[in-house]
């Protein structure tokens, strides 16, 4: 028995570009949430208090599933009092807060790079938020990298494989090097989400 399913000798450029695109998406996703984790831990940005004026519930739906989040408007005031933003906003919150509620945040409107990476001008601060952001970043790798590895190690040039064919190819990889590599990648992402993320969160916020 060979170590892994055979891969065609020639890789179509379209397929290669598609794999590279999804790899880039995974790396950008991880970078965004890793930076947000560092920001939540207080390593970047300006610390201050966000006072809620109003929160609006937003909904998203995909086929049979639906979820919701909250966008909140309010006022930001830095700890040193030098920065006051009466038109501050926080997005993608899990909870809707009553007017007057205060949240510790990191403001980074003066950093174009940080704002672009975080896709926001304010990030919720604190240990819990930092751990959540780190874990989300590793979670993105979990859902993309193993799939890309499996596709590359088996039939890299097959762009029409159905779900049934993918499942059959996965079962056929039992006991092969391909299966071990894919599972190792998934395990590494899980360790990142459930071990490294909490460890980073506690270590970076130990003095706060």
């Amino acid at each position: 028995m060979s170590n892994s399913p055979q891969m065609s000798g020639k890789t179509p450029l379209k397929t290669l570009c598609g794999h590279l695109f999804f790899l880039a998406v995974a790396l950008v996703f991880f970078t965004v949430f890793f930076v947000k984790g560092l920001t939540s831990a207080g390593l970047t940005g300006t610390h201050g208090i966000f006072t809620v004026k109003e929160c609006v519930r937003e909904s998203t739906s995909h086929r049979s599933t639906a979820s919701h989040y909250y966008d909140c408007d309010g006022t930001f005031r830095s700890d040193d009092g030098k920065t006051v933003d009466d038109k501050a906003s926080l997005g993608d919150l899990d909870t809707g807060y009553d007017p007057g509620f205060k949240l510790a945040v990191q403001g980074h409107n003066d950093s174009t790079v940080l704002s672009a990476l975080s896709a926001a001008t304010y990030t919720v601060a604190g240990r819990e938020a930092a751990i959540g952001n780190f874990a989300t970043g590793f979670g993105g790798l979990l859902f993309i990298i193993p799939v890309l590895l499996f596709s590359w190690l088996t039939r890299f040039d097959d762009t029409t494989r159905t779900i049934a064919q993918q499942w059959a190819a996965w079962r056929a990889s039992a006991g092969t090097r391909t299966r071990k590599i894919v599972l190792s990648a998934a395990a590494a992402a899980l360790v990142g989400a459930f071990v490294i993320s909490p460890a980073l969160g506690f270590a970076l916020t130990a003095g706060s």
Side-chain angles (χ1 to χ4, degrees), residues 39-77:
T39 304
S40 295
L43 271 67
T44 60
T46 303
H47 191 271
I49 298 298
F50 178 91
T51 303
V52 175
K53 290 182 181 177
E54 180 184 22
C55 289
V56 177
R57 174 172 167 162
E58 304 287 351
S59 298
T60 59
S61 60
H62 179 68
R63 295 183 181 178
S64 60
T65 62
S67 61
H68 63 268
Y69 60 92
Y70 295 87
D71 289 335
C72 298
D73 294 326
T75 301
F76 170 78
R77 183 181 182 87

Side-chain angles (χ1 to χ4, degrees), residues 50 71-76 85 87-91 120-123:
F50 178 91
D71 289 335
C72 298
D73 294 326
T75 301
F76 170 78
D85 183 2
K87 296 182 179 180
S89 62
L90 281 173
T121 53
Y122 295 93
T123 297

Side-chain angles (χ1 to χ4, degrees), residues 24-39:
V25 168
L27 294 177
V28 169
F29 184 88
F30 176 79
T31 300
V32 167
F33 281 93
F34 194 83
V35 170
K36 289 191 72 172
L38 295 176
T39 304

Side-chain angles (χ1 to χ4, degrees), residues 12 23 43 62 74 84 90 92 98 102-103 130 137 139-140 164 169 181 202 208:
L23 176 61
L43 271 67
H62 179 68
V84 177
L90 281 173
D92 296 330
D98 294 329
K102 298 182 183 300
L103 287 167
I181 292 174
F202 276 90
S208 59

Side-chain angles (χ1 to χ4, degrees), residues 8 20 23 37 45 48 53-54 56-57 62 78-79 84 86 90 92 104-106 110 114-115 124 142 147 153 161 170:
S8 300
L20 291 177
L23 176 61
K53 290 182 181 177
E54 180 184 22
V56 177
R57 174 172 167 162
H62 179 68
S78 62
D79 289 346
V84 177
D86 293 326
L90 281 173
D92 296 330
V105 299
Q106 294 289 124
D110 56 342
L114 187 58
S115 295
V124 176
L142 173 65
V147 174
L153 291 169
R161 189 191 300 174
W170 174 250

